[in-house]
Amino acid sequence: MEKRVYPDRSETVYFFGTCLMDAVYPDAGMAAIRLLQAQGVEVVFPPEQSCCGQPAYNSGFVREARAVARKQIRAFPKPYPIVVPSGSCA
């Protein structure tokens, strides 16, 4: 059996809170941040982040969804891993 090789762990990560965490499950988002911090990971939460744009895209507003997605890309400028607590938003 081959031994699994894991990439080096990042000391700093971004946390993309998602509108779902913000509006419906804020306690779950805060718990996820605390779990990361308990492992010694610095968590950066860019305050200018917002929705990923998926609701607009799913509603047929492709141009608007693209603008929202581009804004999110600018909110996370450094090459840190991004933790997203919602699979559909990732």
Side-chain angles (χ1 to χ4, degrees):
M1 179 184 287
E2 285 187 48
K3 181 179 177 186
R4 262 185 110 160
V5 178
Y6 295 96
D8 291 335
R9 183 180 102 169
S10 178
E11 297 297 320
T12 304
V13 299
Y14 281 121
F15 191 85
F16 181 53
T18 78
C19 57
L20 181 63
M21 288 290 137
D22 186 43
V24 182
Y25 300 111
D27 291 341
M30 293 307 297
I33 289 172
R34 284 193 302 273
L35 284 171
L36 291 164
Q37 291 172 331
Q39 295 302 308
V41 177
E42 178 185 358
V43 178
V44 178
F45 187 94
E48 63 275 10
Q49 66 178 287
S50 67
C51 178
C52 67
Q54 182 185 169
Y57 182 82
N58 290 345
S59 298
F61 296 97
V62 176
R63 186 177 326 120
E64 292 84 348
R66 187 175 293 125
V68 171
R70 285 188 174 130
K71 181 180 179 212
Q72 299 322 298
I73 291 169
R74 288 190 301 272
F76 299 86
K78 295 188 179 175
Y80 303 145
I82 301 174
V83 176
V84 186
S86 173
S88 63
C89 299

